[in-house]
C-alpha cells in the first residue's frame, strides 16, 4: 500500500535526521511514500495563534492536493503538522458550513470532499509493525529508554482515537520491537515548550530540564521522541540546561533503524547536538 | 443579537464553539498547565474573567499569550469548557482590536513566521530567524547556533518557493477579510 507523505518544513532542515532515518527504515521494509505535490506549510502554532480560519485553510489546501492526487492516507511525521492537518480534517468533517466556506470560497476547490485520512508517526509505524518486526537484526538489548510523547501525538482528543492521552503505550510497543526496554517515568506527556524555542527560550530550558531530569532519575539511557520540535527543544537546547547528566535524544525512527542494522551515519545520528553515538551499552 | 451587543462569552462562543459558562472552577486546567508558573493569571482565572466579561483585565495581562496550546487543559476539563480554545479565541479577539497586542517577541515571531509562508509557501528558517531578530531586537540570541546547524546540514541556505504561491497569498487575503 502506498502512503501519501506530508514532510513539513523541518524535514529538510532542523529535523533532517528524522526524515533520513524514516526513509532508511521504510526502504528496508519496502514501503514507499508519495510526497504531496506542492504542499505548503501547515501553519504550525503561528496561524492558529492569530487567525482561526487561516489555521484551517492552510492545512486544508494540502489535504485537497492530496485528495486531487489520489491519496487515501497521508502520514505527517511532525507532530505539529499532524495536529494541524488532523484538526483541519476533523473540523471540516463536523461543520459542513465551514467546509463549504473553505472549499468554495477560500481554497476555490469546490470538489474537495475531505476524505483523506491523516496518520501520525505512531499510528503509521504501528500499522507497519509486522513488516518492521521482520527486519530487526540487531536488537538493542539492555538499553533503557524513556518514551516521550509530548503534546500533539495524543492531544487534542478530537485527533486521537488511537492511544490513551494520559498513560499512552504505542511508543513503548514500538520500542519493544527494537529490544530496548521502555522505563516508567513521569514526564511522557508534558510539553517541551513547543514553538517558544526562539521567542522565549528560558521557558523551553525550564520545561526541558524537568523532562530530562526525570528521565535521568528513572535510569534512562536515552529519550525517544516523535516530533522535530521536541527533538530540537530537548537536544539542541540541552546544553543550556543544568542537569545531573546529559541524555541523548533519538527519534523513534532512528532507534528502529539501529535495531534493523543501519549505521548511525545512514540514520543522520551524527547531526544530533548531544552525543548520541556510540549507543550506550551497545558498543563496548 | 448584533455583534456590537455581544458579551465576551458570546464572542468567544462564536469564535471557538466553546461555552465558558460550563466552567465550574475546579482548577484542573491550571494544575496541569506547563506555563502556569510563568502566568500571572492562571488558566482557570482566565476562564473566570471570560465568564465575567472582564476584557480589560485580560488584555492588560500577558498570560493568554504564554499559552502553548499543549491542550492538557482541554483534555482534562470535566465540563468540556475548552480552556485552550477559549484562549486561542481571546488572542484572536485581542489582535482584531489591536494587531500589535501580543508581547513583542511572541508577536514578532508569529508575524515573521507567517510572512515566510506568504512569501515562499514553506518555512525558510534563515529568513524566519532574520526577520524575527529584526522585529524583536533579539539580535544576539542563538547567533552562535548558526555555524553548528550549518555544519550539521540542518540549515538550508536557499528558500524553496512553491508553485502555488499565488494560491497561498489569496488564502491569506481571504482569511484576513473574514475577520
Amino acid at each position: 500500500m502506498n502512503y501519501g507523505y506530508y514532510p513539513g518544513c523541518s524535514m529538510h532542515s532542523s529535523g533532517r535526521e528524522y526524515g533520513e532515518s524514516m526513509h532508511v527504515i521504510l526502504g528496508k521494509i519496502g514501503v514507499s511514500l508519495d510526497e504531496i505535490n506542492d504542499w505548503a506549510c501547515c501553519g504550525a502554532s503561528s496561524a492558529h495563534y492569530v487567525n482561526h480560519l487561516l489555521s484551517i485553510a492552510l492545512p486544508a489546501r494540502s489535504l485537497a492536493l492530496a485528495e486531487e492526487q489520489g491519496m487515501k492516507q497521508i502520514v505527517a511525521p511532525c507532530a505539529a503538522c499532524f495536529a494541524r492537518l488532523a484538526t483541519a480534517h476533523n473540523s471540516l468533517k463536523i461543520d459542513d458550513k465551514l467546509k463549504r466556506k473553505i472549499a468554495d470560497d477560500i481554497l476555490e476547490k469546490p470538489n474537495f470532499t475531505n476524505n483523506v485520512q491523516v496518520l501520525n508517526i505512531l499510528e503509521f509505524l504501528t500499522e507497519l509493525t509486522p513488516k518492521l518486526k521482520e527486519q530487526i537484526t540487531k536488537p538493542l538489548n539492555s538499553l533503557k529508554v524513556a518514551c516521550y510523547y509530548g503534546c500533539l501525538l495524543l492531544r487534542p482528543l478530537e485527533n486521537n482515537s488511537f492511544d490513551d492521552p494520559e498513560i499512552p503505550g504505542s511508543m513503548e510497543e514500538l520500542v519493544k520491537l527494537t529490544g530496548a526496554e521502555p522505563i516508567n517515568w513521569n514526564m511522557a506527556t508534558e510539553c517541551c515548550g513547543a514553538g517558544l524555542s526562539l521567542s522565549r527560550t528560558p521557558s523551553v530550558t525550564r520545561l526541558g530540564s524537568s523532562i530530562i531530569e526525570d528521565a535521568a532519575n528513572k535510569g534512562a539511557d536515552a529519550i525517544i521522541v516523535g516530533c522535530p520540535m521536541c527533538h530540537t527543544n530537548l537536544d539542541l537546547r540541552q546544553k543550556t540546561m543544568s542537569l545531573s547528566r546529559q541524555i541523548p535524544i533519538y527519534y523513534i525512527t532512528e532507534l528502529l533503524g539501529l535495531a534493523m542494522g543501519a549505521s548511525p551515519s545512514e540514520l543522520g545520528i551524527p547531526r544530533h547536538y548531544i552525543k548520541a553515538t556510540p549507543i550506550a551499552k551497545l558498543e563496548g | 443579537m448584533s455583534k456590537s451587543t455581544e458579551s465576551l462569552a458570546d464572542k468567544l462562543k462564536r469564535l471557538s464553539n466553546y461555552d465558558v459558562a460550563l466552567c465550574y472552577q475546579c482548577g484542573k486546567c491550571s494544575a496541569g498547565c506547563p506555563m502556569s508558573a510563568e502566568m500571572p493569571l492562571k488558566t482557570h482565572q482566565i476562564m473566570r474573567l471570560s465568564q465575567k466579561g472582564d476584557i480589560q483585565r485580560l488584555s492588560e495581562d500577558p498570560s493568554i499569550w504564554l499559552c502553548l496550546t499543549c491542550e492538557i487543559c482541554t483534555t482534562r476539563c470535566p465540563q468540556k469548557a475548552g480552556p485552550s480554545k477559549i484562549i486561542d479565541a481571546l488572542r484572536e479577539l485581542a489582535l482584531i482590536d489591536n494587531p500589535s497586542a501580543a508581547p513583542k517577541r511572541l508577536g514578532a515571531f508569529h508575524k515573521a513566521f507567517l510572512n515566510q509562508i506568504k512569501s515562499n509557501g514553506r518555512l525558510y528558517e534563515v529568513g524566519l530567524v532574520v526577520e524575527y531578530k529584526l522585529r524583536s531586537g533579539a539580535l544576539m540570541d542563538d547567533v552562535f547556533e548558526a555555524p553548528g546547524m550549518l555544519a550539521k546540514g540542518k540549515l538550508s541556505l536557499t528558500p524553496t518557493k512553491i508553485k502555488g504561491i499565488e494560491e497561498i497569498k489569496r488564502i491569506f487575503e481571504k482569511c484576513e477579510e473574514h475577520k
Side-chain angles (χ1 to χ4, degrees), chain B residues 128-166:
Chain B
L128 167 67
V129 173
V130 169
E131 188 173 343
Y132 164 66
K133 284 179 184 301
L134 291 173
R135 283 180 179 272
S136 66
L139 296 172
M140 289 310 286
D141 288 3
D142 290 330
V143 131
F144 302 107
E145 295 303 345
M149 287 189 81
L150 214 50
K152 289 175 187 291
K154 293 188 8 158
L155 210 58
S156 79
L157 284 180
T158 49
T160 326
K161 198 177 266 216
I162 64 165
K163 293 197 200 81
I165 189 64
E166 291 308 316

Side-chain angles (χ1 to χ4, degrees), chain A residues 7 9 25 45 65 99 109 149 159 193 231 275 284:
Chain A
C9 302
I25 68 175
S45 353
L65 290 174
K99 182 174 160 187
K109 290 180 188 289
Y149 293 75
N159 297 346
H231 192 275
K275 189 158 148 60

